[in-house]
Amino acid sequence: MILIGDNLVPSENLSFIDSIADIEYTIANSTVVFNYDENLLLYCSKNDIEFAVVVENLTQAIYCNALNSKYIICEKRVAKNVQKVAENYIFDSKVLAIIEDSNEIEKIALNEIDGVIYSNLLDK
């Protein structure tokens, strides 16, 4: 299980962006993270930038996987459906459920979601 933002487990650097111009100011070798945006999605995919996308629904998740998103980040209520489709279609992208604290990890694990990301990492 992937744990991003947990105090006990070291994780990779993430850089939240809102625009293509923001990429210039990200930490080297970090994964850029953004809310679903077709322009950013296409740009990152075409330029081999490692990226993660916060999605609101299954359709957005499908596009993210098709364009090589490293992580598909979604609310817990959406994560279960996205994970089911990801397993059926053998997505390369990993599904991460957004959590507030470590008390939620067990429930996410029992729902067989690939991993979690703490919500404070998604605050701009």
Side-chain angles (χ1 to χ4, degrees), residues 10-57:
S11 58
E12 64 197 89
N13 288 321
L14 302 176
S15 298
F16 203 95
I17 62 169
D18 288 315
S19 68
I20 293 170
D22 291 344
I23 295 170
E24 182 179 342
Y25 302 104
T26 60
I27 300 166
N29 299 317
S30 66
T31 299
V32 297
V33 182
F34 53 89
N35 291 319
Y36 186 86
D37 176 295
E38 290 179 1
N39 292 328
L40 283 171
L41 188 60
L42 289 169
Y43 182 85
C44 289
S45 180
K46 287 178 182 177
N47 290 284
D48 295 320
I49 296 169
E50 200 161 83
F51 65 99
V53 183
V54 180
V55 302
E56 295 179 358
N57 57 53

Side-chain angles (χ1 to χ4, degrees), residues 96-110:
L96 302 179
I98 301 169
I99 62 170
E100 300 297 321
D101 61 56
S102 60
N103 294 327
E104 299 175 79
I105 292 173
E106 184 175 338
K107 183 176 181 180
I108 300 300
L110 291 172

Side-chain angles (χ1 to χ4, degrees), residues 63-76:
Y63 281 122
C64 290
N65 180 67
L67 292 167
N68 302 313
S69 177
K70 181 174 184 178
Y71 301 119
I72 298 169
I73 302 168
C74 47
E75 295 292 336
K76 294 178 291 273

